[in-house]
Amino acid sequence: SQQGEEDPQALSIQEGENATMNCSYKTSINNLQWYRQNSGRGLVHLILIRSNEREKHSGRLRVTLDTSKKSSSLLITASRAADTASYFCATVVDRGSTLGRLYFGRGTQLTVWP
Amino acid sequence: EPEVTQTPSHQVTQMGQEVILRCVPISNHLYFYWYRQILGQKVEFLVSFYNNEISEKSEIFDDQFSVERPDGSNFTLKIRSTKLEDSAMYFCASRDPRGAWGETQYFGPGTRLLVL
């Protein structure tokens, strides 16, 4: 299947530390997006990186994309307890979908301890 | 900031009953989607919709499911005869393909459906 797979499944860190989550996928993509989900709540869009981009920043977030390895990473710097959530990568397959359906991975559960 | 809204937030129904999940997408968006997330599993695409037509649907979206945009603001998902395995969180999303953020899908808070 195309779905991204995140690694690790769970990550537990102290406030102030950096958190790195990885995502791998299988087929060529148009773009890759990262979402956050607080427990039992909706999906919040964090950042989008296109297939011709290698790195993007947004505040404390840094996303990289390596299309040769079909992988992406999300780095959250100086983490806070409020960053505790599940993080999902989602891909849009290149030429695979008219309206760009998203293929989600299983997510990484990040816990940040105060 | 505009956002996608969904009602109800929770719905409990008996197996075999019909349910309608409602969504109000962001007002100037053109593409609409439904996804679902069974507890503990990944978010799965159900259907996409544009110009009053289904654009794409997944294998999950069988004859029991239908979508409609009955007016200029609502986007609904109907499950005709619910099964136990339809229990999930259902998310609506919308997207405006024009402009700098055209590839971003904005999700609603979800409707948690429990089929008994």
Side-chain angles (χ1 to χ4, degrees):
Chain A
S1 67
Q2 164 58 21
Q3 284 90 341
E5 296 297 335
E6 288 90 344
D7 164 54
Q9 288 187 350
L11 181 61
S12 187
I13 59 175
Q14 294 290 132
E15 260 190 335
E17 293 180 341
N18 295 342
T20 299
M21 289 159 271
N22 303 297
C23 168
S24 60
Y25 56 90
K26 294 185 178 173
T27 65
S28 293
I29 60 170
N30 179 281
N31 65 70
L32 184 146
Q33 305 179 35
W34 284 90
Y35 286 82
R36 186 181 82 186
Q37 183 183 36
N38 286 54
S39 181
R41 307 289 291 276
L43 295 158
V44 176
H45 185 265
L46 296 176
I47 196 164
L48 180 152
I49 187 164
R50 295 184 178 88
S51 60
N52 62 351
E53 297 174 315
R54 291 296 165 257
E55 187 171 313
K56 278 186 97 164
H57 297 255
S58 176
R60 293 184 296 113
L61 305 181
R62 174 178 165 247
V63 168
T64 63
L65 179 65
D66 186 335
T67 52
S68 67
K69 295 181 179 176
K70 293 187 170 58
S71 67
S72 173
S73 69
L74 172 67
L75 168 68
I76 305 174
T77 59
S79 62
R80 306 166 182 164
D83 294 329
T84 295
S86 291
Y87 291 82
F88 296 89
C89 70
T91 56
V92 175
V93 174
D94 190 23
R95 293 190 296 275
S97 172
T98 310
L99 299 191
R101 67 183 272 187
L102 292 169
Y103 291 85
F104 282 85
R106 291 187 182 279
T108 292
Q109 173 60 50
L110 173 66
T111 303
V112 183
W113 299 100
Chain B
E1 187 176 323
E3 56 185 19
V4 177
T5 59
Q6 290 184 242
T7 54
S9 58
H10 293 79
Q11 173 113 32
V12 180
T13 190
Q14 294 291 325
M15 191 170 56
Q17 295 295 304
E18 174 184 287
V19 294
I20 298 176
L21 309 183
R22 292 184 166 80
C23 168
V24 179
I26 295 173
S27 64
N28 61 336
H29 285 193
L30 299 179
Y31 297 168
F32 312 111
Y33 309 81
W34 283 100
Y35 293 82
R36 78 172 187 191
Q37 184 183 33
I38 294 171
L39 191 63
Q41 298 189 24
K42 60 180 73 174
V43 177
E44 302 172 289
F45 168 81
L46 292 177
V47 66
S48 58
F49 190 88
Y50 167 64
N51 202 26
N52 278 321
E53 287 185 349
I54 289 175
S55 177
E56 185 180 359
K57 57 185 180 180
S58 71
E59 58 279 2
I60 302 168
F61 195 89
D62 61 22
D63 292 344
Q64 293 300 312
F65 291 87
S66 62
V67 289
E68 195 178 31
R69 188 155 161 84
D71 52 43
S73 58
N74 290 283
F75 180 50
T76 62
L77 174 69
K78 183 194 289 186
I79 309 175
R80 245 178 288 281
S81 178
T82 50
K83 308 184 188 86
L84 296 177
E85 54 264 36
D86 293 327
S87 295
M89 179 79 98
Y90 287 81
F91 293 107
C92 172
S94 71
R95 177 178 156 220
D96 179 1
R98 305 157 292 188
W101 305 107
E103 290 146 305
T104 299
Q105 291 184 30
Y106 294 88
F107 282 75
T111 292
R112 186 170 295 284
L113 175 66
L114 178 61
V115 182
L116 301 176

